[in-house]
Amino acid sequence: MKSLVVYSSQSGNTEKLAKTVFENLDGEKDIFPLAQAPEAGDYDLIGVGFWLQAGKPDPKSQEYLASLPEGARVFLFATHGAAKGSAHANGAMEYAKSLLKGAAVAGTYSCQGEVNPKVLEKVKAKPEPPPWIGDAPAAAGHPDAKDLEDLAEAVRAL
């Protein structure tokens, strides 16, 4: 099996997940930051990692997801300030799935990622803070060893 792992990471959280995905895949594999991603057509599995912005994958990841070929087998993974399993996190993953045109979702994984303190300050100052803001303190230190092991198990089960 030939696999491709592509990721978008602002703070390094999603990059940690991408490296874990890569390390736990069997067979021939490649890993690239999103800006350097090759054509995905030659791969049997495409892992796409992203961070959330306004309850959706970051804009560049949205473009990439929408560009994946019909029939592609995709594993989606994400980091976010929201609580794992929250409506905010689940809604973002569903939105990511909706961008795939005829691609098969092989699996998904998401977990909290520590929010950059400067971003947190800026978001807290908004007149209407986002729904995940109350979860952000619990994101400190994530993704942690347990998050990465849970992801590794999900990848090995593909």
Side-chain angles (χ1 to χ4, degrees):
M1 181 166 86
K2 188 173 179 184
S3 301
L4 172 65
V5 178
V6 174
Y7 64 93
S8 175
S9 187
Q10 254 192 337
S11 62
N13 294 330
T14 308
E15 183 178 9
K16 286 179 188 176
L17 296 188
K19 288 177 179 178
T20 299
V21 170
F22 181 78
E23 291 165 3
N24 286 279
L25 288 168
D26 290 328
E28 190 178 340
K29 54 192 173 180
D30 295 309
I31 184 170
F32 293 95
L34 183 62
Q36 299 170 8
E39 288 290 319
D42 293 338
Y43 292 90
D44 302 307
L45 176 70
I46 305 155
V48 182
F50 50 88
W51 50 278
L52 302 190
Q53 181 177 345
K56 297 177 182 174
D58 66 273
K60 290 183 181 179
S61 293
Q62 287 184 47
E63 287 177 32
Y64 185 79
L65 289 167
S67 76
L68 291 175
E70 188 171 325
R73 187 168 169 246
V74 181
F75 177 73
L76 301 170
F77 58 97
T79 59
H80 43 78
K84 185 173 181 166
S86 67
H88 185 78
N90 292 341
M93 192 60 75
E94 289 304 313
Y95 185 82
K97 289 178 188 178
S98 77
L99 297 171
L100 301 170
K101 299 177 185 112
V105 177
T108 65
Y109 180 83
S110 78
C111 70
Q112 283 190 298
E114 188 165 346
V115 181
N116 179 315
K118 289 181 182 180
V119 171
L120 205 49
E121 275 182 46
K122 186 177 175 181
V123 170
K124 283 181 179 178
K126 289 184 175 189
E128 258 188 70
W132 57 266
I133 198 70
D135 299 333
H142 288 272
D144 62 14
K146 173 81 168 102
D147 297 325
L148 299 178
E149 182 52 38
D150 290 347
L151 173 59
E153 286 181 28
V155 171
R156 290 190 295 261
L158 293 175

